[in-house]
Amino acid sequence: AHQPNPLNLTMSSEGKLTVLVASATANTGSKAVMALSKKGNISVRAMARNVEKAKKMLGNLPNVTIVKGDFGDEKSMDAALEGVSRAMLVCGPGKHEQYDYECDFLLACKRANVEGIVRISTYSCLIHRGTRNVYARAHSSIEGNIEVHGHPVVDLNPNWFMDNILSSAGEMKAAGTMSWPVKGDAKNPFIDTRDVGNAAAEILASDSETLKKFIAAKKIELHGPEMTSFQDQIAKLSKAVGYEIKIKEVPGAAWVGALMGFGMSKLFANSLLETVNMCDKKKKTYRPGVAKTS
């Protein structure tokens, strides 16, 4: 007999809930795709601008379909969202366009009657409408846009990603050091990107009543299982690789200059410097952070 769908959710031809992850090749986005694919009852659409890259990363996962989509292309977003019930939004930081990209995606979700959106925000301590931090400024404005338009969004606010320090892997291997703009001894509940992706997947796969509760909460703080520091991370990494690595404290301006030498914009590099300073308690935060794990 025909079973009614009282939640009015869009199902795939196999009777699975359809969820779109955009961008699927982002650090946390790819982890969410992996987590959702394992559930079996979810049909996952992995939206990416670079389809070939997405296929290499995610193409062999069960229950996953790669679709082409670009935050700067309204028609491609509409096509990717056709028949989708829920969506995850994570947009690359570092550019002024992030605000418009995310707001345009939210409007596309509205046109597609998406039930709920899980959005990956940033470290809550950074967010303030007057900040010069490029990604914190974007998220502050996006929060305002969500409130004005009433989009059904829950923001996930993770803090520093544990694997961020691996950007210094070359220096660690060559010199046994990590040039860093702080001493690195302040404690924070740093988090792994897999935990962020898993959290997003759990919310996206929840029943409608649970999803409504998350959307009503508006913001969820995500944090790792214990308070740790940059020094703690380096000590554990040293043990794992079998040789000693030390933090080499350098002036902030020199660190920014080094990042720019690798092709990063001054705006993005200065934003990262502020983030590291807040993590190490060298700069006052705009919002309260997670003071202990739970």
Side-chain angles (χ1 to χ4, degrees), residues 85-132:
S85 295
R86 300 171 182 180
M88 173 180 168
L89 169 60
V90 54
C91 183
K95 296 182 179 180
H96 291 300
E97 291 86 352
Q98 182 180 357
Y99 172 78
D100 289 310
Y101 286 162
E102 294 206 27
C103 290
D104 286 345
F105 182 83
L106 294 175
L107 284 175
C109 286
K110 186 174 184 178
R111 291 193 294 272
N113 295 314
V114 171
E115 179 193 17
I117 303 119
V118 175
R119 193 181 78 87
I120 307 301
S121 185
T122 191
Y123 188 26
S124 292
C125 294
L126 296 166
I127 301 175
H128 187 268
R129 63 182 181 181
T131 182
R132 295 289 300 275

Side-chain angles (χ1 to χ4, degrees), residues 22-142:
S23 168
T25 55
N27 205 346
T28 53
S30 62
K31 306 303 190 299
V33 172
M34 294 173 190
L36 286 166
S37 75
K38 295 176 182 177
K39 292 190 174 295
N41 62 339
I42 304 286
S43 178
V44 188
R45 286 191 198 168
M47 187 185 106
R49 183 174 54 186
N50 186 333
V51 171
E52 291 307 311
K53 179 181 178 181
K55 285 181 178 178
K56 289 179 181 178
M57 292 176 63
L58 309 165
N60 293 326
L61 294 174
N63 308 306
V64 174
T65 302
I66 309 296
V67 296
K68 186 174 180 60
D70 190 322
F71 290 128
D73 183 344
E74 183 179 296
K75 290 184 179 179
S76 74
M77 288 190 290
D78 285 341
L81 283 161
E82 186 175 354
V84 165
S85 295
R86 300 171 182 180
M88 173 180 168
L89 169 60
V90 54
C91 183
K95 296 182 179 180
H96 291 300
E97 291 86 352
Q98 182 180 357
Y99 172 78
D100 289 310
Y101 286 162
E102 294 206 27
C103 290
D104 286 345
F105 182 83
L106 294 175
L107 284 175
C109 286
K110 186 174 184 178
R111 291 193 294 272
N113 295 314
V114 171
E115 179 193 17
I117 303 119
V118 175
R119 193 181 78 87
I120 307 301
S121 185
T122 191
Y123 188 26
S124 292
C125 294
L126 296 166
I127 301 175
H128 187 268
R129 63 182 181 181
T131 182
R132 295 289 300 275
N133 184 306
V134 62
Y135 42 89
R137 182 169 61 212
H139 286 296
S140 177
S141 296
I142 295 163

